[in-house]
């Protein structure tokens, strides 16, 4: 039971931080930044982005 008590205490502490609007806004910005970085790293999505950027140049 000591492990359960420690994990419950940690969960409640994190839950207290997670309900703060400032922490949620900070997590949203971090998630948006990491999401944009991951999209650039995935080769498939990088090709899609490069094609979209090349389309206006081809039309001119």
């Amino acid at each position: 039971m000591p492990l359960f008590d420690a994990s419950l205490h940690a969960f409640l502490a994190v839950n207290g931080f997670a309900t703060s609007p400032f922490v949620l806004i900070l997590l949203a910005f971090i998630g948006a930044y990491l999401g944009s970085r991951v999209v650039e790293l995935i080769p498939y999505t990088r090709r899609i982005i490069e094609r979209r950027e090349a389309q206006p140049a081809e039309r001119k």
Side-chain angles (χ1 to χ4, degrees), residues 3-40:
L3 180 62
F4 179 71
D5 291 338
S7 61
L8 183 60
H9 179 67
F11 176 74
L12 290 175
V14 170
N15 188 26
F17 288 120
T19 56
S20 168
F22 299 111
V23 174
L24 292 176
I25 291 171
L26 180 65
L27 287 175
F29 279 116
I30 291 171
Y33 173 75
L34 291 176
S36 67
R37 299 301 297 169
V38 167
V39 165
E40 292 177 3

